[in-house]
Every structure is written in C-alpha cells, then in structure tokens.
Amino acid sequence: MQSIDEIMPILKQLLNLIENHFGNKCEVVLHDLTKDYNHTIVDIRNAGVTNRTPGGCGSNLGLEVLHGTVKDGDRFNYITATQDGKILRSSSIYLKNNDGKAIGSICVNLDITETLQLEGFLRQYNQFENLGNGNKGEVFSADVNNLLSYLIQKGQEEIGKSAGEMNKNEKIKFIRYLDQKGAFLITKSGERICELLHISKFTFYNYLECSRNQESDQ
C-alpha cells in the first residue's frame, strides 16, 4: 500500500462502525499524513468533541511520529484534553505504506467529561487513573498555528527563558527542542521562529544544523 486511498472504502466502514457503536460523544478521525500537516483530516465523525473539521490539522503527537522522534506512534486508552476543558480517553493507530512510513492514522477520542462525575464501575470503565499508558502531553488544536504556538511555549519553558532573553546556545537548544517535536514540518514554521528569535534565515539553518550535529554526537 502506498496511499490510504487504496483502502478508503474499508476505512470508511471502520469509521462508520466506531461512530455508530459509541455514539455522539465519540469522535473518530481519519488523517492522510501525506498531505500538508495543516490539512490532514480527510474524514471526521462527531467533530464537536474537539471542534475540528475536515481539512484541519492533527495533534503534536502526529508531528513527532512524522519526524521520527516517536518510532511507534500507536497509543491506546490515554488521557487527553481539549482547549475548552473536555477530558477525553483517546486511542491512535498509524497506517504505514510498503516502506514502513506512516501515511495515515485513525484516532478515537471519547468524551468522558460527564462520566468522570460518576462513582465506582464508571471510573473503572473510563480508565482515567491509568495515565501511564499514554502520552500526557498530547494537545488537540483546530488550527496548526495554535499547535505551533503550543510547541513554542513548551520550548521556552524547557529553556526557562522567553525567546527574547535567549543567548546563542539557548537558541540552538530551543531550535533542537522544536525540531525533535516535529515543529518544522509545519509550513512556514521556520519563518515564524526567525521572527521570534530575531535571526536571519541563514542563521536559523545554521543553528538547526548545529543542533542536529550536537544531537548526533550525544
């Protein structure tokens, strides 16, 4: 398989199955990861859960899988949250081509906000306490620019300084962090980082190469 279009009828059936089995509190998303990351969503059911739409973007975990930082992106029953405060129990699997490259993904996001208010067996069903199985730092966004903003914020927290206060070495470390998170797979992300750090494109690529060389030496 080289494209998810080759098995699209089967994927549509699978989305129909999950959507109808779990109801309107369960969002099911099909991503085509060969597209620009700002427009990977090709099918989404019950989109009100994360307020995304067809043609929208994926999460930061998808960026890390595409970048290669995360080798096996499949995750099951992990806890995530939306920007408007919903708590979700999520699972994601990645579809690979004949060369082993991730070309698509199916993500299931079950809104468990209301059920978490219940006692006993519902808490056990939701597996909310089982946080160790997943990626606690995954974030959903309706816009890829918001996703980049989140990664920039986390990068500055990692350095412990705002971008305007960083010296050269800290800027290189900051760029390495963003690179490892797959941020530069986002269109025009390099230009935004240049503006943020007040550096030229030449300096940016110089720092990027330096950060990758430092990583390979470790």
Side-chain angles (χ1 to χ4, degrees):
M1 181 179 69
Q2 295 301 322
S3 166
I4 65 170
D5 290 335
E6 297 176 32
I7 57 170
M8 188 60 74
I10 297 174
L11 295 176
K12 294 282 188 180
Q13 279 187 298
L14 180 58
L15 264 63
N16 287 338
L17 171 65
I18 298 172
E19 176 189 15
N20 285 283
H21 184 81
F22 289 102
N24 63 11
K25 292 289 186 179
C26 183
E27 178 188 78
V28 194
V29 192
L30 175 62
H31 294 275
D32 184 345
L33 299 178
T34 64
K35 297 180 179 295
D36 180 274
Y37 203 73
N38 198 26
H39 306 289
T40 61
I41 297 177
V42 293
D43 196 341
I44 184 168
R45 313 295 175 85
N46 299 320
V49 173
T50 61
N51 295 319
R52 292 178 293 173
T53 59
C57 68
S59 72
N60 58 307
L61 178 58
L63 284 175
E64 294 184 44
V65 172
L66 287 175
H67 182 261
T69 307
V70 174
K71 300 299 182 184
D72 180 9
D74 291 357
R75 297 287 186 274
F76 304 100
N77 292 324
Y78 57 93
I79 301 302
T80 56
T82 64
Q83 291 181 325
D84 60 359
K86 297 189 187 82
I87 299 173
L88 313 178
R89 181 159 64 87
S90 301
S91 292
S92 302
I93 60 171
Y94 286 81
L95 311 172
K96 298 179 180 179
N97 64 12
N98 295 337
D99 299 320
K101 180 180 179 181
I103 59 172
S105 66
I106 298 175
C107 304
V108 177
N109 302 305
L110 182 64
D111 183 357
I112 59 171
T113 309
E114 294 178 357
T115 61
L116 284 173
Q117 299 172 4
L118 303 178
E119 296 286 338
F121 73 95
L122 283 179
R123 180 168 291 277
Q124 182 179 1
Y125 166 80
N126 289 323
Q127 302 178 35
F128 182 67
E129 286 129 352
N130 192 18
L131 295 178
N133 288 342
N135 187 60
K136 301 177 187 178
E138 185 170 16
V139 174
F140 295 103
S141 176
D143 185 287
V144 74
N145 290 318
N146 290 338
L147 192 58
L148 179 58
S149 295
Y150 169 81
L151 294 174
I152 288 172
Q153 175 189 337
K154 289 299 179 182
Q156 291 179 119
E157 290 176 4
E158 180 78 10
I159 302 301
K161 290 184 180 180
S162 67
E165 297 173 323
M166 294 179 193
N167 59 34
K168 176 181 176 180
N169 289 334
E170 289 165 341
K171 289 178 180 179
I172 292 173
K173 184 178 178 182
F174 176 67
I175 288 173
R176 181 166 67 247
Y177 174 89
L178 294 177
D179 188 32
Q180 290 173 340
K181 296 299 181 182
F184 301 128
L185 295 173
I186 298 174
T187 304
K188 296 185 178 180
S189 57
E191 296 178 11
R192 183 168 171 185
I193 300 306
C194 286
E195 294 177 359
L196 184 69
L197 297 177
H198 302 292
I199 58 176
S200 66
K201 286 185 178 180
F202 174 82
T203 301
F204 167 76
Y205 286 114
N206 204 359
Y207 285 1
L208 181 60
E209 181 179 2
C210 183
S211 72
R212 289 173 175 173
N213 288 339
Q214 289 177 357
E215 184 178 0
S216 63
D217 291 338
Q218 293 177 354

